[in-house]
Amino acid sequence: GAVVSQHPSRVICKSGTSVKIECRSLDFQATTMFWYRQFPKQSLMLMATSNEGSKATYEQGVEKDKFLINHASLTLSTLTVTSAHPEDSSFYICSARDPARPGGETQYFGPGTRLLVL
Amino acid sequence: QQQVKQSPQSLIVQKGGISIINCAYENTAFDYFPWYQQFPGKGPALLIAIRPDVSEKKEGRFTISFNKSAKQFSLHIMDSQPGDSATYFCAASRDSGNTPLVFGKGTRLSVIA
């Protein structure tokens, strides 16, 4: 299967600072990437859909000025949590699709990034 | 409004037994139904997926059964093993996966020896 990486895997930051999370598709080109947030023992909640070269589409209730998404290339999308607060502490996971691949509807998930805001 | 309802919330199965997880959906426009397995601290991994044009799909010990008229689909894990202990999520999407996945709430499976 396709490989999606995330960096960093874990980050601790102080309240008020910004944190950038990278999501890379390693062996395929991803025209669409998705960002999810997952709280302990809960399901994945879609935050936004990121399309290469265009603005991200945010889900209702997700602050676009707080969660900045940039999909500058076909293999990289970044999520920046600006002015982070303790309630932003969560597990952030990205996924990517490769429409050119057989079964192109498949979303491949990254390993996730654990964010802890103190 | 929860578009994909998953049950049970948790499940304990004896080693060698069959694990069964059920999901029901509301949106008849959904046409792609994957199941994901997630271990603690890891991202979800695709297990198996099905489209509505077939009623069953089997890959190794994992089988999806799909009932279009009832808008239900289920995951069967045959010969369950302790290594299968994880959280399982069903999901659905429209337009052949071009739209984001809608996830169920997850089922925490424990396979005991």
Side-chain angles (χ1 to χ4, degrees):
Chain A
V3 179
V4 176
S5 70
Q6 280 184 242
H7 178 80
S9 59
R10 183 184 297 261
V11 58
I12 301 173
C13 70
K14 293 183 178 180
S15 185
T17 61
S18 294
V19 174
K20 179 184 284 188
I21 302 170
E22 292 185 348
C23 176
R24 293 182 185 273
S25 55
L26 298 185
D27 55 354
F28 66 100
Q29 293 184 330
T31 53
T32 304
M33 290 184 171
F34 302 93
W35 286 96
Y36 295 83
R37 181 166 52 182
Q38 186 178 34
F39 292 106
K41 298 184 180 181
Q42 293 191 21
S43 188
L44 290 82
M45 297 300 297
L46 179 68
M47 299 177 66
T49 301
S50 168
N51 293 297
E52 188 266 338
S54 63
K55 290 185 178 180
T57 302
Y58 290 82
E59 294 299 298
Q60 191 173 7
V62 177
E63 300 176 58
K64 62 180 181 180
D65 294 330
K66 182 170 184 60
F67 299 99
L68 301 178
I69 292 173
N70 186 308
H71 193 159
S73 76
L74 287 171
T75 60
L76 173 65
S77 177
T78 60
L79 167 67
T80 302
V81 183
T82 62
S83 186
H85 291 281
E87 58 265 30
D88 298 325
S89 299
S90 188
F91 193 50
Y92 292 87
I93 314 173
C94 70
S95 70
R97 291 178 59 241
D98 179 9
R101 179 185 289 261
E105 65 276 6
T106 301
Q107 282 191 35
Y108 298 96
F109 283 83
T113 296
R114 177 77 59 191
L115 171 64
L116 177 61
V117 184
L118 302 177
Chain B
Q1 181 185 8
Q2 188 183 353
Q3 295 193 59
V4 180
K5 295 183 179 180
Q6 183 173 347
S7 62
Q9 188 173 353
S10 62
L11 180 62
I12 299 174
V13 174
Q14 289 271 334
K15 179 181 175 182
I18 303 173
S19 304
I20 302 175
I21 305 171
N22 300 299
C23 282
Y25 62 97
E26 299 167 3
N27 189 341
T28 55
F30 287 146
D31 60 2
Y32 173 65
F33 304 89
W35 284 90
Y36 284 86
Q37 177 190 58
Q38 186 180 31
F39 293 103
K42 306 293 184 183
L46 178 68
L47 265 181
I48 187 172
I50 198 168
R51 292 188 164 279
D53 53 345
V54 297
S55 60
E56 185 175 285
K57 183 175 181 180
K58 182 176 181 179
E59 290 184 2
R61 295 186 294 112
F62 302 95
T63 299
I64 298 180
S65 297
F66 185 83
N67 186 330
K68 187 175 181 178
S69 60
K71 294 187 287 185
Q72 296 175 345
F73 59 109
S74 61
L75 175 69
H76 295 232
I77 305 174
M78 312 299 286
D79 187 26
S80 299
Q81 299 297 314
D84 296 331
S85 298
T87 300
Y88 293 80
F89 293 96
C90 64
S93 77
R94 300 181 288 110
D95 300 329
S96 301
N98 285 317
T99 57
L101 290 170
V102 177
F103 282 89
K105 290 194 172 183
T107 296
R108 180 169 290 199
L109 172 65
S110 297
V111 181
I112 56 176

